[in-house]
Amino acid sequence: MTAGNIKGALLALLAMGIYSTHDVIIKLLGETYPALQILFFSALLSFPPLAVLLLRDPTHGTLRPRNPFWVGLRSICIVGSGVGGFYAFSTLPMAQVYSILFAAPLLVTVLSVPLLGERVGLHRWAAVVAGLCGVLVVLRPGMTPLGLGHLAALMGATATALSAIAVRKLGRSERTVILLLWPMIGNFLLTGASLSFAYRPMLAGDLALTGVIAVLGLAAGFLLILAYQAGEAANVAPMQYSQMLWAIGFGWLLFDERPDAMTLLGAGLIIGSGLYILMRERTGSSRLRPVTEARLRSETVTAPRPSLLGRLWRRD
């Protein structure tokens, strides 16, 4: 492995540790406050630094999208990914949430066939089936009670997959400011409306922690930009699965969570299938490479897609 690839992998590992810390704070606050309230204030406090970046957008035009359907679908999916993820982390063990969210690249592979015209070979289909079986092993329907947290995590994974498909459809046809701003507007409308139904006054320290969530999401995104500048995507992308190690460690130390054998087995199937698909796309003939394009963790308004941040940062 070259020095650049080693540097890229290490930067990605650090980014994933920061993302996991981002999720730990969500879980800590979720013990006291509604998940949508946490998401609202985290997104609100992430807006000032994002606004500075949005002013760097070199392209001119209105905020009206050229492709309203795909921009709207992507915005809805990012909001759904945030709502699902924040609620799941608030109610489920971290390792279980990550296991379900890791299914997103598998769903991208499935959806890429009807929506992108991607050709998926037998080997990748077998990996998808194995990974989805891993999701069932984690959930164990009929053996353990399934709650709203499990449904929220599944919603988050599905929304992440659809968002990745929408990004592929849009390419660079839309201004970066539109791709970042529209999901934030949708999030403010939904989570802001939820405050009228479920709101709990926040201590100053807890409110500050929602700001920390915003800072960590952006910091991890910029570290990933540096990681992909330093190393090849095929070497950097698998580092996302290191979040499972962070989840086990944080869960053990902070929340007295002990992942059982079935959760670990299911997570192993999901991670193994995801890595196999990445390997096949690295050596195969696919030009679209849908899973590689969706290689990162769930995109939310508090953790925007690093490729979009990179466009603004480099002014390209």
Side-chain angles (χ1 to χ4, degrees):
M1 184 180 289
T2 66
N5 283 330
I6 293 174
K7 179 181 178 181
L10 291 176
L11 286 170
L13 282 172
L14 178 58
M16 293 306 157
I18 292 175
Y19 275 136
S20 296
T21 306
H22 167 286
D23 299 333
V24 164
I25 298 175
I26 293 171
K27 186 170 183 64
L28 287 169
L29 292 176
E31 295 176 347
T32 307
Y33 306 102
L36 292 183
Q37 179 178 331
I38 301 168
L39 179 55
F40 173 81
F41 285 107
S42 299
L44 182 65
L45 294 176
S46 71
F47 184 74
L50 274 177
V52 174
L53 285 174
L54 291 175
L55 293 176
R56 298 169 61 94
D57 191 349
T59 57
H60 300 283
T62 68
L63 294 180
R64 179 180 298 175
R66 297 189 183 95
N67 303 279
F69 173 78
W70 288 106
V71 170
L73 176 63
R74 178 179 174 277
S75 300
I76 292 171
C77 288
I78 291 175
V79 174
S81 176
V83 171
F86 272 58
Y87 186 83
F89 280 117
S90 298
T91 57
L92 296 178
M94 291 188 68
Q96 199 169 104
V97 177
Y98 280 135
S99 297
I100 299 171
L101 294 180
F102 284 162
L106 307 177
L107 297 176
V108 173
T109 301
V110 174
L111 294 172
S112 69
V113 176
L115 297 179
L116 293 178
E118 171 74 6
R119 296 180 63 183
V120 176
L122 181 61
H123 291 88
R124 280 200 288 165
W125 276 124
V128 168
V129 171
L132 295 180
C133 286
V135 175
L136 292 177
V137 171
V138 172
L139 294 178
R140 282 162 280 176
M143 298 176 59
T144 57
L146 300 180
L148 288 177
H150 299 93
L151 181 61
L154 287 171
M155 180 181 77
T158 304
T160 297
L162 283 171
S163 174
I165 294 292
V167 167
R168 285 299 309 167
K169 293 290 288 188
L170 289 168
R172 283 181 170 257
S173 65
E174 294 288 351
R175 296 176 63 204
T176 307
V177 64
I178 289 177
L179 297 180
L180 286 172
L181 195 57
W182 275 73
M184 296 192 76
I185 294 173
N187 180 79
F188 289 142
L189 291 175
L190 175 65
T191 59
S194 74
L195 297 181
S196 61
F197 298 100
Y199 174 77
R200 185 166 184 173
M202 302 188 77
L203 299 174
D206 293 339
L207 185 60
L209 283 176
T210 65
V212 173
I213 291 173
V215 171
L216 291 177
L218 292 175
F222 281 111
L223 280 174
L224 282 174
I225 292 172
L226 297 176
Y228 281 101
Q229 288 176 345
E232 299 174 11
N235 292 301
V236 175
M239 297 304 108
Q240 69 168 322
Y241 295 116
S242 67
Q243 289 181 103
M244 181 57 71
L245 300 178
W246 288 103
I248 293 173
F250 278 133
W252 194 297
L253 292 173
L254 300 178
F255 305 107
D256 196 28
E257 297 173 354
R258 306 289 191 273
D260 57 27
M262 295 296 285
T263 297
L264 295 176
L265 173 61
L269 286 171
I270 297 166
I271 293 172
S273 62
L275 290 174
Y276 182 77
I277 290 174
L278 280 170
M279 180 188 69
R280 294 289 298 183
E281 291 193 342
R282 181 183 183 183
T283 59
S285 59
S286 170
R287 292 182 298 104
L288 296 178
R289 301 187 183 278
V291 175
T292 305
E293 288 297 325
R295 56 190 169 264
L296 306 177
R297 56 171 279 129
S298 302
E299 181 185 9
T300 66
V301 290
T302 62
R305 192 178 181 88
S307 60
L308 297 179
L309 295 177
R311 288 189 204 177
L312 297 174
W313 187 251
R314 294 188 297 267
R315 297 192 182 194
D316 61 359

